[in-house]
Amino acid sequence: MLDALTWPLERAGEALTALAGQSALQPSLRELGAPGPAVLANRDDAAIERWLAGAAAGLGLEAEAVDSDIAGIDDLLRAAAPAVLRVGEGGRGLLLLLRGGVRHLVLLAPDLRPRRVALADVRRLVCEPVLAPLRGRAEALVDRTGLKGQRRERAVELLLRERLGVLRVGRAFVLRPSPAAPLLRLLHAEGLVRRTAALAGLHAAELLLMIAAWALIGDLVFAGRTDAGWSQAWLLLLLSIVPCRMGQAAIAGDILQRAGALLKRRLLVGALALPGDLTRREGAGLLLGRVLETAAVESLGLRGGLVSLVAALEFAAAVPILALGPAPALHLALLAGWAALSVVLVRSTGRHLAAWTDTRGELTHHLVEAMVGHRTRLAQEAPERWHHDDDARLVRVLAREAQLNRSESLLVALLPRGWLVLGLAALLPAFVGGTAPAATVAAAIGGVLLAQRGLSTFVVGATALLGCGVAVRQALPMLRAAETADADAHGLMLSFPPVPEGQPIVVARGVGFRYPGRERPVLRDVDLAIAAGDRLLLEGGSGGGKSTLGALVAGLREPTSGLVLLAGLDRPTLGLVGWRRRIAAAPQFHENHVVTAPLAFNLLMGRGWPPTQAQLAEADAVCRELGLGDLLERMPSGLQQMVGETGWQLSHGERSRLFIARALLQGVDLVVLDESFAALDPATLQQALRCVLDRARAVLVIAHP
């Protein structure tokens, strides 16, 4: 049955478009063609997966490759939808997972009809290529127990999954909108708009049930009735509130989880897309402060938004109840005035919070910079100056915090309690004169209490939203950078064949570049052409613009004038990701980094992860050709050895060759190496240069004369 539901790889473009359309992902209106002959003929999984990821990006979507082991395949199938599963020999078939479920899945068939199938059947199709060679031994072992029929089959399956649960099986591509897509589209795709409406509906139902219960018990009390039936109805109304609150708790938790994951992905995209000039200008301290503040966007913003929604509903429900009281005009006027006072107090607290956050950020920056440069300070600075200005900065932070605490105390204490006193005082004439019916006075008291409850909830929500607002201001560069990254995600990220020998890779005409805030340009009217097979050396003095030109060629910067074409296309057409699939760069030492991770990750971070055995073997070969063989032999775990600041410490020359290997392993048309050989001795330089010339299709080396 599943064979009839499997799409051939030749229809992969049509399959992705159909799955995205029926999954309400709102894809871009673009027709995807079939994979090229080079991809279809290539048995390399990486080429097929690059095409799938690029095709999804062409629809404005993100295709995240998710691996699973046998023990976790059920969880993946239940939660991955919408997703593409590669099945069949060599992964040449595609299953389109439209919706998940506990025991059944919904697949999109090649005739574009959804079909319901058993999860066990899909699991068997995905896992059987791995389990088949070992099934005979498991069956022989189970046969010794004497089990027959379905019990025997179930025992075999459980034994295989228990003993072989850690084995990796097929890869799924989970489709979702790009994290940098318009916010409303992301909210719809995650179902957050629908869930928020359901949350508001449940809370409104809770308020209506509560008001109905008040009205019923009040009518019974003031009428002096003791009917058992009406008392039971009142009890049922109270019990009906319980499932409403349980539903709200479940939906709110789901909203927080989904929205938090969405926000984290968006901030990560923005952090990686931050301009290099900004990261260099702000330094590690301010950047760490921004990252720390982004945590408040999730913890405060999401919860504060939900709490504020509840407060608005409670506040709105109090208005018609107060209108039924003995002094409706007075109560409503007081409520409007108190709401205006609330806005004033919230704004004042917001200003104090922003000032405290800025001062605290300055202190964080100062301390982080001091820790990063502690080795230099120990060697160069007098001990009596090590803590210079620390106390003064801390005093400023504490003074701002005291102002904030006074403002928050006023907000928390005055708003709800002050309204309760004011609202009850407005009822004194009715109490003293005795002109209003008791039921009317009781209703007004209920309205005052409901409004107080709304104000108390509002204080909690507003305080959280104020913190979120300050955090958003700190995270604004990341959020804006994420919006610019969205254009890159829509570039032509599909896999292209290598540029033929002698054909142009990069063509630059009249290129100029000026750094922001500087009058004189670094480059002016530069023409450059690099073809496949070229080996170019760019020499010049310090500050002459060599590295800037290399960054323009690599797509790390955009020219302020002129035009740079890669294989005949400009950067807005290709996108940054598409550009980097053609050109890899190893920037200067101070702009490159060894991530605290296994050496294999540092080498292959420009490729798909986790790597295949062939990719690991290629990384090992490149390292040995660059003269890093002795390093690999010394490392206890080889390519899996942790390196970086808290791992195996690499020398300057070893780091330089790691950066060269990282660029070579990306398999691009052009490699740009900026001062990559400066830290190498002559013999090692010759060995590394021979490796680069042998492996790079084209290379641009930037060096001093």
Side-chain angles (χ1 to χ4, degrees), residues 322-335:
L322 290 174
L324 299 175
L330 178 60
H331 265 137
L332 293 179
L334 290 175
L335 188 60

Side-chain angles (χ1 to χ4, degrees), residues 82-439:
V84 178
L85 302 174
R86 292 186 59 196
V87 296
E89 183 182 356
R92 312 294 289 183
L94 305 176
L95 281 183
L96 305 188
L97 181 57
L98 189 59
R99 287 188 295 275
V102 178
R103 294 187 177 181
H104 291 85
L105 308 174
V106 178
L107 302 181
L108 186 61
D111 60 1
L112 303 183
R113 287 185 175 183
R115 302 292 177 83
R116 191 166 180 262
V117 300
L119 184 147
D121 293 339
V122 179
R123 179 183 65 231
R124 191 176 299 110
L125 178 65
V126 174
C127 298
E128 192 59 26
V130 178
L131 298 180
L134 304 169
R135 183 174 293 277
R137 294 177 60 186
E139 290 177 345
L141 183 61
V142 172
D143 287 340
R144 296 182 183 179
T145 65
L147 294 176
K148 303 293 183 182
Q150 292 185 353
R151 296 181 63 188
R152 174 184 178 276
E153 295 179 4
R154 180 172 175 78
V156 170
E157 294 296 330
L158 291 176
L159 179 61
L160 287 172
R161 295 180 65 182
E162 179 68 24
R163 300 291 298 272
L164 307 174
V166 297
L167 292 182
R168 310 300 294 181
V169 291
R171 174 171 288 187
F173 288 83
V174 181
L175 295 184
R176 59 192 177 201
S178 166
L183 184 59
L184 187 59
R185 180 183 171 194
L186 291 174
L187 296 178
H188 275 293
E190 290 289 341
L192 293 175
V193 175
R194 182 178 67 256
R195 286 173 171 80
T196 303
L199 178 65
L202 281 176
H203 193 71
E206 178 190 342
L207 290 176
L208 290 176
L209 289 171
M210 185 182 301
I211 293 171
W214 285 355
L216 180 59
I217 195 64
D219 183 62
L220 292 175
V221 170
F222 289 112
R225 296 159 53 188
T226 58
D227 298 348
W230 288 109
S231 299
Q232 293 173 1
W234 172 70
L235 181 60
L236 288 175
L237 286 173
L238 292 180
L239 291 176
S240 300
I241 294 175
V242 176
C244 289
R245 291 192 175 179
M246 293 176 63
Q248 291 176 65
I251 294 176
D254 192 26
I255 290 175
L256 291 174
Q257 180 184 10
R258 290 173 178 269
L262 177 64
L263 179 62
K264 286 184 175 70
R265 292 198 301 267
R266 193 174 182 94
L267 287 172
L268 178 59
V269 168
L272 295 177
L274 282 175
D277 293 334
L278 175 65
T279 57
R280 282 191 294 269
R281 183 172 65 250
E282 291 199 342
L286 287 180
L287 289 175
L288 177 61
R290 291 190 186 279
V291 172
L292 293 176
E293 289 299 326
T294 58
V297 177
E298 177 188 358
S299 61
L300 298 179
L302 298 178
R303 297 183 184 277
L306 295 179
V307 171
S308 298
L309 175 64
V310 170
L313 292 173
E314 294 173 347
F315 206 73
V319 173
I321 298 176
L322 290 174
L324 299 175
L330 178 60
H331 265 137
L332 293 179
L334 290 175
L335 188 60
W338 210 253
L341 177 63
S342 303
V343 173
V344 173
L345 291 177
V346 167
R347 293 186 62 182
S348 175
T349 304
R351 287 195 296 270
H352 289 304
L353 179 61
W356 172 70
T357 303
D358 290 341
T359 310
R360 188 184 62 175
E362 293 174 1
L363 177 62
T364 301
H365 174 65
H366 173 74
L367 294 177
V368 170
E369 290 293 335
M371 287 187 288
V372 170
H374 75 281
R375 292 188 179 91
T376 301
R377 298 183 70 190
L378 287 174
Q380 304 294 333
E381 196 172 39
E384 59 269 16
R385 292 184 54 84
W386 287 349
H387 303 290
H388 180 69
D389 203 30
D390 288 358
D391 293 339
R393 292 176 184 273
L394 184 58
V395 167
R396 286 197 293 271
V397 172
L398 294 176
R400 294 291 189 184
E401 187 174 4
Q403 294 177 346
L404 175 62
N405 290 337
R406 287 194 295 268
S407 181
E408 285 185 338
S409 299
L410 186 63
L411 179 67
V412 172
L414 178 61
L415 278 187
R417 295 174 176 80
W419 161 253
L420 181 61
V421 173
L422 197 63
L424 293 178
L427 292 174
L428 286 177
F431 277 113
V432 175
T435 56

